Amino acid sequence: MNSNRPELPSGVILAIDWGQRRVGLAVSDSTQAMVFPIKVLQRSGHQPEAAAIRKTVQENGARAIIVGWPLLNNGLSGQNGPVILKWVESVCVPAGVPIFFADERFTSVLADETLRETGRKASQRKALIDSMAAREFLQDVINGAARIWPLGSSPPEIKLA
C-alpha cells in the first residue's frame, strides 16, 4: 500500500456522491472486490439525511464512509467544498464510522456514459446517475486509482504535468 495513502478499514465501504438536490449511495462488498450502486436520497435536511445515512451504514455493515470531493481539472477544490464539509460533519459524522474523501473528478460523466450505453433515456439516467457516480469513485478507490484522505486532512496536492 502507498505510504501516502491512508489505510481503509477492511469490510464494507459506503460511498456518497453529494449533490445539491440528491445524494447517491454505493457500497462495496465485504471483501472490497465489487461495488454496487444502492440508492439515491433526495436532499431533505440534515436530520433526516443523517438518519438515512446512519440506517444505511447499519443495514450494510459499513466500516467507513467515503465522500466524493469536487476537485477541478487544475487540482484545486471546487466551490462546493465548504458546503460538503459542513454537510459531512452534520450528516455523516453521527454515523460513527471513519470518514474519508476521494477525488471524484469525471465520475458523473463516466456514470452517465455507462447508463447511456445501457440504452436508458435521459430521465432514467438522471434518477440513477448519483448512485452510479458514487459507484465509479468507490471502484477507483478500491482499485487504488483515486486519491483519498481522512476527514480533518486537506486534499492532497495534485501536481499537473
Side-chain angles (χ1 to χ4, degrees):
M1 172 94 26
N2 180 341
S3 62
N4 293 328
R5 181 184 168 99
E7 187 72 31
L8 290 174
S10 60
V12 175
I13 305 294
L14 171 65
I16 300 175
D17 181 59
W18 180 90
Q20 292 180 351
R21 294 188 181 109
R22 292 174 304 277
V23 176
L25 305 177
V27 293
S28 72
D29 68 344
S30 62
T31 65
Q32 297 180 7
M34 297 186 301
V35 180
F36 308 95
I38 55 171
K39 62 182 154 183
V40 174
L41 302 175
Q42 296 298 317
R43 296 291 312 280
S44 58
H46 287 191
Q47 287 185 337
E49 291 166 18
I53 296 298
R54 204 169 30 253
K55 181 178 179 185
T56 302
V57 165
Q58 291 169 352
E59 287 176 347
N60 291 280
R63 304 282 311 274
I65 295 172
I66 299 180
V67 180
W69 189 260
L71 289 173
L72 303 174
N73 291 341
N74 63 7
L76 299 175
S77 290
Q79 67 182 6
N80 284 329
V83 176
I84 293 172
L85 187 56
K86 183 175 180 171
W87 183 84
V88 165
E89 289 170 349
S90 297
V91 174
C92 298
V93 168
V97 296
I99 299 171
F100 298 84
F101 294 99
D103 180 352
E104 68 155 1
R105 285 179 287 177
F106 310 117
T107 56
S108 292
V109 173
L110 291 171
D112 190 51
E113 287 177 12
T114 299
L115 291 168
R116 185 180 312 232
E117 289 172 2
T118 66
R120 288 184 168 85
K121 297 178 185 174
S123 60
Q124 294 169 318
R125 291 193 312 267
K126 185 177 181 180
L128 299 171
I129 196 163
D130 299 296
S131 63
M132 286 296 289
R135 182 207 166 280
E136 290 287 340
F137 75 76
L138 182 54
Q139 187 67 60
D140 285 347
V141 166
I142 287 171
N143 292 342
R147 289 178 174 89
I148 62 171
W149 58 96
L151 175 65
S153 298
S154 297
E157 182 179 339
I158 298 173
K159 297 188 181 359
L160 302 174

